[in-house]
Amino acid sequence: MKKTYQWTTKSITIIVVLILLKSLVFYGYTAELARLSVLLGTIAWMAFLLLLFWNVFNGKFFLLYCIISCILFVDFLYFQYFGFLPSVKELVHVGHVGAISESIVYVLHPISFVFIIDLIPVGLYLRKKQSRQDETPIRKPTYPDRIIAFVLLISLLIPFSSESLQSYFVFNRYGVFAYHMFDLVRVIPGVDGGITVDETVSYNGYVNKMAERGKYFSVAKDRNIIVIQLESFQDFLVNFVYNDQEITPNLNRLVSSDSIYFDEIYQQVGAGNTSDCEFVILNSMHALGDVSVYQTREENSFYALPSLLKSKGYFPVAFHGNNGWFWNREKIYPSLGFDDFISLEDMENDEIIGFGLSDSSLFKQTLGYLRGIEEPFFAFIVTLTSHNPYEIPEELRAIELLPEHEGTLFGNYIQSVHYTDAALGEFIEGLKEAGLYDSSLIALYGDHAGLYPFNKENKDILSELLACEYDFVHAMNIPLLFHIPNSNLNVLNSKPGGQIDFFPTLLNLIGIVEKSGILFGRDLLNSSSGFAAFTHYVPEGSFIDNNRIFIMSSDGILDNSEAVERRTGKMITPYSCLDGYKDSIQQIQASKYLILNNSISNLMGVSNERDN
């Protein structure tokens, strides 16, 4: 007769203890705060899952153990790469997993195998250890047991409904199991009430105010506009010298003359990373955070920079060295107003590095295209080679690394950005030879950080090299530069701002007066104050303004938040930042409302009526 395994109190205890041990290891590397509620929440949700599998799945507890172990393994890998946990909503991005697989493998932490290495041994042990006569098998579930499981579930869901929580807060308050249950509940139709915004408040002040001429107005009028989005470039690279070597000499030369350089600009991307940066730059709106706008909102109508420039006589064209379908660019670019998109399929694939065409080849082929089109044009160029894990061929690695940085992510990073900088230098020289340099405005900026501090190795290396604690504020600081040949400008602007400020600042420089549209950014050259609202990589509502840096606590509790004076670094009370926190949340939520409801056109009309 076939043997069947009967679960006993002892065998279940083994499963429970192992899950708790793995959970503690997981929290040691991911949770930002050591809170008793995280441990209690983990135990409570684990009790519910055990009851669920006992009542519904005939006590297949080893299956539950395998599922939990695999979830912790995937969560850990994801966190090591992105710095946050995966969401069901991000399944829409699953098509990009293959493209980043090498990056994920590169940051694979040995600890990650702790979560899955024991599955086969534990399974064999439990299968072999049949229940003895002196051990009583657990009884079958009864109707009251099902009632208990249901009541426990309701009690565990109460915190989710009692207040509006971000998933980020759920994890740091109640643990990983609560996070995933909360995430699952949110995708049920009708459960997530969506975003409600008080329009009389939220859209006031966001109507484009570019009707008045400001300082530096029209200094780049009638020039071609060349915008270069530099993959993973951070602001510390500007004038950064490593081991007596200049890492970005060509970028530094552009900064030093005929330029307006902003050194306090911060990334505002969400789960879409590079694609979200493009969206924020081209629309002066915040991204959605947990899903890519490009991937999910291709049918939307937008008040976008390419469309506006086209209406003013520019020819808008985009260039990227990856496939057109990647991040859905081939479908979203037309809705933003681009007349042409030159992707990997349209180029000679003569040098492939990492994800696609090398930056050197991209710039060369882009230059060939620009030589043959009518001016003025708006060229939007997205680089690619300096993408995580920053591995480039040995013959292209020109920086001599210190022994301690060989084989590190940091070492790969400065090699790759140095390569991209060299390709940028070749492009600038090519523009000069083609007679396009003097008649162009060249704007450059970083899309997002390349080295985040949630990676301990990154944090330790950069804290030592920069002689200060390397935190998320340092990481999210990206360069923004407007290079205007023969303008004799040499301006350093240290007003804090975000990527949403690019659009209105550019309008002032090229002398376009435009009242229509909703812009969440401001012209940094003429605004009296600076402000950058953060989302995704730090809790939503965090911000930087002229005087303060406020990072909302990862558990959503104001008292636990970080608040400092921007110039002195002196700690201040978090309550003194409530006004900025409110403005940050309002700005982000209003952007999401506009995108999710595809209501930009209507709200433009409503807002203009209010203004008039």
Side-chain angles (χ1 to χ4, degrees):
M1 185 172 63
K2 184 180 178 181
K3 291 183 178 180
T4 57
Y5 180 74
Q6 299 184 61
W7 285 94
T8 65
T9 302
K10 183 176 180 179
S11 55
I12 294 176
T13 301
I14 292 173
I15 292 291
V16 169
V17 170
L18 288 173
I19 291 175
L20 285 177
L21 288 175
K22 289 183 178 183
S23 298
L24 290 175
V25 171
F26 182 81
Y27 293 137
Y29 284 85
T30 57
E32 295 186 20
L33 297 169
R35 295 176 59 90
L36 180 61
S37 63
V38 172
L39 179 60
L40 294 177
T42 300
I43 294 172
W45 277 104
M46 186 169 61
F48 165 73
L49 291 172
L50 288 168
L51 283 171
L52 177 67
F53 270 69
W54 182 38
N55 281 280
V56 180
F57 300 105
N58 299 317
K60 294 180 179 178
F61 298 118
F62 182 65
L63 174 62
L64 173 63
Y65 181 61
C66 290
I67 292 173
I68 289 177
S69 296
C70 290
I71 288 175
L72 291 176
F73 175 72
V74 172
D75 283 352
F76 191 83
L77 286 183
Y78 200 91
F79 187 90
Q80 292 301 308
Y81 185 80
F82 291 106
F84 46 86
L85 298 183
S87 166
V88 174
K89 289 186 176 181
E90 291 172 9
L91 290 176
V92 71
H93 303 152
V94 72
H96 306 299
V97 171
I100 65 171
S101 58
E102 291 184 9
S103 304
I104 294 176
V105 169
Y106 187 85
V107 297
L108 192 64
H109 198 292
I111 293 296
S112 59
F113 294 105
V114 167
F115 304 112
I116 58 173
I117 198 170
D118 68 328
L119 293 185
I120 293 178
V122 170
L124 292 174
Y125 173 79
L126 292 176
R127 184 176 181 84
K128 181 179 179 181
K129 186 177 174 57
Q130 300 292 325
S131 59
R132 304 174 193 167
Q133 291 182 352
D134 60 341
E135 290 185 30
T136 305
I138 62 170
R139 61 180 175 81
K140 292 185 177 182
T142 61
Y143 184 74
D145 296 320
R146 296 183 176 88
I147 296 296
I148 292 173
F150 180 75
V151 171
L152 179 58
L153 175 62
I154 296 301
S155 64
L156 289 172
L157 291 175
I158 287 176
F160 300 163
S161 58
S162 61
E163 59 180 312
S164 178
L165 290 175
Q166 299 173 36
S167 55
Y168 195 88
F169 298 156
V170 173
F171 169 61
N172 282 282
R173 282 196 199 182
Y174 306 115
V176 64
F177 303 140
Y179 166 84
H180 283 296
M181 293 301 294
F182 175 75
D183 186 52
L184 285 170
V185 168
R186 283 202 310 162
V187 300
I188 298 174
V191 172
D192 188 349
I195 297 172
T196 56
V197 182
D198 181 356
E199 295 182 16
T200 61
V201 176
S202 300
Y203 306 117
N204 184 31
Y206 296 141
V207 180
N208 190 350
K209 300 293 186 181
M210 295 305 299
E212 297 181 5
R213 302 185 177 196
K215 189 176 182 181
Y216 304 115
F217 181 83
S218 201
V219 295
K221 185 177 178 60
D222 297 329
R223 292 181 181 236
N224 299 312
I225 302 170
I226 301 174
V227 175
I228 304 174
Q229 180 168 301
L230 296 167
E231 172 66 44
S232 302
F233 267 56
Q234 297 179 228
D235 190 70
F236 81 83
L237 294 170
V238 177
N239 295 320
F240 179 62
V241 176
Y242 167 82
N243 196 21
D244 296 325
Q245 300 159 96
E246 200 174 5
I247 300 301
T248 56
N250 293 291
L251 178 61
N252 297 343
R253 276 192 286 273
L254 293 176
V255 166
S256 64
S257 64
D258 292 327
S259 292
I260 302 173
Y261 166 50
F262 299 85
D263 65 347
E264 287 275 4
I265 304 300
Y266 296 89
Q267 70 178 54
Q268 294 173 306
V269 301
N273 284 298
T274 296
S275 69
D276 277 348
C277 174
E278 294 179 30
F279 175 79
V280 174
I281 286 287
L282 297 176
N283 292 272
S284 190
M285 299 176 66
H286 288 279
L288 291 174
D290 52 4
V291 293
S292 164
V293 178
Y294 274 22
Q295 198 72 17
T296 59
R297 312 305 298 186
E298 65 184 58
E299 301 298 329
N300 274 31
S301 297
F302 295 106
Y303 178 78
L305 181 60
S307 294
L308 173 60
L309 293 177
K310 181 162 59 175
S311 72
K312 303 299 181 180
Y314 291 82
F315 177 73
V317 55
F319 301 86
H320 188 43
N322 207 325
N323 295 300
W325 56 261
F326 196 70
W327 285 122
N328 207 32
R329 288 185 176 94
E330 62 187 5
K331 293 184 179 179
I332 198 73
Y333 276 171
S335 68
L336 297 177
F338 283 108
D339 280 340
D340 202 358
F341 172 35
I342 311 301
S343 62
L344 184 62
E345 296 92 336
D346 308 305
M347 299 182 184
E348 181 182 353
N349 297 179
D350 54 354
E351 186 179 40
I352 302 297
I353 299 178
F355 288 4
L357 198 64
S358 72
D359 288 344
S360 178
S361 181
L362 171 68
F363 279 129
K364 288 175 183 175
Q365 296 190 56
T366 296
L367 184 61
Y369 183 94
L370 295 181
R371 290 174 186 266
I373 64 175
E374 185 178 348
E375 302 179 52
F377 55 75
F378 168 55
F380 183 65
I381 307 168
V382 181
T383 70
L384 186 61
T385 306
S386 53
H387 192 288
N388 187 301
Y390 319 116
E391 291 184 315
I392 60 175
E394 188 63 35
E395 63 271 17
L396 300 178
R397 299 167 68 88
I399 297 297
E400 183 179 346
L401 297 177
L402 296 171
E404 60 266 31
H405 298 148
E406 290 284 355
T408 65
L409 200 64
F410 168 78
N412 282 358
Y413 175 74
I414 60 173
Q415 294 282 14
S416 66
V417 295
H418 180 74
Y419 164 81
T420 295
D421 179 81
L424 172 64
E426 294 171 359
F427 180 63
I428 297 298
E429 291 304 311
L431 289 174
K432 293 176 180 178
E433 293 174 7
L436 295 172
Y437 175 75
D438 290 330
S439 59
S440 296
L441 158 66
I442 304 168
L444 306 99
Y445 60 88
D447 60 350
H448 54 71
L451 301 170
Y452 285 103
F454 56 73
N455 181 298
K456 187 177 185 302
E457 183 182 74
N458 292 342
K459 184 178 179 71
D460 290 345
I461 291 175
L462 283 164
S463 293
E464 180 181 357
L465 291 175
L466 301 178
C468 63
E469 183 181 358
Y470 184 68
D471 56 18
F472 271 97
V473 174
H474 287 99
M476 296 190 297
N477 185 194
I478 53 100
L480 171 61
L481 170 70
F482 293 96
H483 181 66
I484 311 170
N486 304 314
S487 65
N488 295 319
L489 291 173
N490 188 14
V491 179
L492 171 63
N493 188 308
S494 294
K495 190 175 297 175
Q499 290 164 329
I500 61 172
D501 299 317
F502 176 88
F503 190 155
T505 304
L506 175 65
L507 288 186
N508 180 69
L509 290 174
I510 61 179
I512 289 183
V513 175
E514 176 69 16
K515 287 187 176 182
S516 300
I518 292 178
L519 301 180
F520 287 83
R522 61 189 76 189
D523 172 13
L524 290 172
L525 292 167
N526 292 286
S527 62
S528 59
S529 60
F531 185 81
F534 296 143
T535 184
H536 208 58
Y537 279 95
V538 292
E540 199 167 279
S542 303
F543 71 89
I544 292 181
D545 64 13
N546 282 19
N547 304 311
R548 302 166 296 179
I549 300 174
F550 174 77
I551 306 298
M552 185 64 185
S553 173
S554 60
D555 60 3
I557 298 175
L558 186 65
D559 278 341
N560 297 331
S561 302
E562 177 185 351
V564 299
E565 287 185 352
R566 179 167 162 259
R567 294 301 182 188
T568 66
K570 179 182 177 182
M571 300 294 293
I572 57 178
T573 173
Y575 284 96
S576 66
C577 298
L578 274 175
D579 60 325
Y581 173 74
K582 178 182 176 182
D583 288 344
S584 178
I585 289 291
Q586 177 180 294
Q587 186 181 105
I588 293 168
Q589 295 296 87
S591 286
K592 291 181 180 180
Y593 181 89
L594 288 169
I595 297 167
L596 294 174
N597 291 281
N598 192 18
S599 54
I600 292 176
S601 298
N602 292 338
L603 288 170
M604 280 170 56
V606 171
S607 298
N608 285 335
E609 288 174 8
R610 287 180 189 148
D611 249 19
N612 294 332

